[in-house]
């Protein structure tokens, strides 16, 4: 396959603080909240049960607990990390108050056993993250969907470290993708450009890179070897 995988190091300027909204405070959302606040970013976090249930996380991290409707207000980056079936129930217009050109990260995977049958994905072949983008009315960048939550806390390494892990990142908006890749670099991981949302099947469940803890070269190889055919429990 002729695919020029793009591997670059994007950097957030030292001392630069980003305003980040995180919707979902489960394993991925909670640990992103912990790491991003530790790096000095201004983080608002929301979940479906309301800000009063996020007191402990807020006290631990310094993040601001807010209703879902307010999570994106002023945010340069918004992370949507709720079960796929819950995406359609997010408040309409929740991104209206976000910063111009906000980058929206989708960490989701479609698990038919959990999320139920979504015909657009299973029957029509719509990519999971493109379905998410349709539901929220904004394009997304697919990242962290194959990342172990604990690795966000424990596996980060400085740039150039021989054991630094790499994450695939897919999306249509090149400017937003650069922002997300810079943020992931700030978190302590390399990135590989996995293509557009229509190519994001290369990192969906059942592919070689899903859950793969390796560096850039192995991730590039895994993306190239991926098949769009859903396997096993992921077929629906």
């Amino acid at each position: 396959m002729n695919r020029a995988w793009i591997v670059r190091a994007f950097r957030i300027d030292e001392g630069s603080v980003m305003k980040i909204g995180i919707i979902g405070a489960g394993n991925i959302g909670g640990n992103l909240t912990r790491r991003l606040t530790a790096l000095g970013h201004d983080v608002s976090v929301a979940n479906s049960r309301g800000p009063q249930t996020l007191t402990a996380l807020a006290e631990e991290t310094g993040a601001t607990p807010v209703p879902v409707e307010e999570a994106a207000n002023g945010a340069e980056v918004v992370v949507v990390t709720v079960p796929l079936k819950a995406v359609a129930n997010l408040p309409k217009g929740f991104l209206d108050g976000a910063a111009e050109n906000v980058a929206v990260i989708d960490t989701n995977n479609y698990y038919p056993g959990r999320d139920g049958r979504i015909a657009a994905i299973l029957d029509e072949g719509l990519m999971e993250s493109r379905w998410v983008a349709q539901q929220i009315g904004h394009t997304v960048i697919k990242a962290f969907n194959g990342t172990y939550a604990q690795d966000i806390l424990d596996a980060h390494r400085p740039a150039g470290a021989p054991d630094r892990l790499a994450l695939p990142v897919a999306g249509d908006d090149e400017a937003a993708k650069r922002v997300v890749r810079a943020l992931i670099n700030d978190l302590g991981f390399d990135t590989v450009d996995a293509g557009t949302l229509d190519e994001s099947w290369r990192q969906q469940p059942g592919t070689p890179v899903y859950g793969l803890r390796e560096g850039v070269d192995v991730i590039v190889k895994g993306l190239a070897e991926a098949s769009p055919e859903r396997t096993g429990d992921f077929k629906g």
Side-chain angles (χ1 to χ4, degrees):
M1 181 185 64
N2 293 321
R3 176 68 167 90
W5 302 105
I6 302 170
V7 182
R8 296 192 184 113
F10 293 97
R11 185 173 63 86
I12 292 175
D13 291 337
E14 186 174 353
S16 177
V17 174
M18 299 188 75
K19 185 165 178 53
I20 300 170
I22 298 178
I23 299 175
N27 294 332
I28 294 289
N31 284 352
L32 282 175
T33 299
R34 292 178 176 93
R35 281 288 292 142
L36 290 168
T37 52
L39 290 168
H41 296 292
D42 179 3
V43 178
S44 295
V45 60
N47 66 7
S48 61
R49 295 178 295 146
Q52 72 280 358
T53 67
L54 296 170
T55 302
L57 182 62
E59 290 177 349
E60 174 191 349
T61 63
T64 303
V66 296
V68 174
E69 294 85 350
E70 299 176 15
N73 287 355
E76 300 159 86
V77 175
V78 173
V79 183
V80 177
T81 182
V82 299
L84 193 81
K85 63 182 179 181
V87 170
N89 296 324
L90 291 173
K92 300 301 181 187
F94 73 92
L95 291 170
D96 289 352
E100 187 177 3
N101 300 320
V102 61
V104 181
I105 300 173
D106 170 34
T107 75
N108 256 301
N109 296 298
Y110 177 40
Y111 303 119
R114 178 197 66 185
D115 300 314
R117 183 173 185 80
I118 299 177
I121 296 174
L122 289 180
D123 300 335
E124 301 168 23
L126 190 67
M127 292 300 101
E128 300 168 3
S129 286
R130 197 167 288 289
W131 183 85
V132 170
Q134 288 183 358
Q135 301 306 306
I136 67 175
H138 194 286
T139 194
V140 299
I141 304 299
K142 191 176 188 74
F144 299 108
N145 70 293
T147 305
Y148 290 96
Q150 196 60 34
D151 285 351
I152 294 170
L153 298 183
D154 298 340
H156 54 89
R157 299 289 186 272
D163 59 344
R164 201 180 205 220
L165 303 183
L167 308 184
V169 180
D172 298 337
D173 184 332
E174 291 299 325
K177 193 185 288 185
R178 285 194 294 272
V179 170
V180 172
R181 295 181 72 183
L183 188 64
I184 293 172
N185 180 65
D186 198 30
L187 283 163
F189 301 90
D190 287 332
T191 59
V192 175
D193 188 338
T196 67
L197 286 185
D198 286 337
E199 297 175 274
S200 62
W201 54 265
R202 295 184 183 278
Q203 64 196 76
Q204 71 188 14
T207 60
V209 301
Y210 180 71
L212 186 61
R213 292 162 154 148
E214 292 289 351
V216 166
D217 290 345
V218 178
I219 297 298
V220 168
K221 182 174 183 289
L223 288 167
E225 293 175 347
S227 167
E229 185 70 24
R230 292 184 178 273
T231 61
D233 294 338
F234 309 124
K235 294 175 73 171

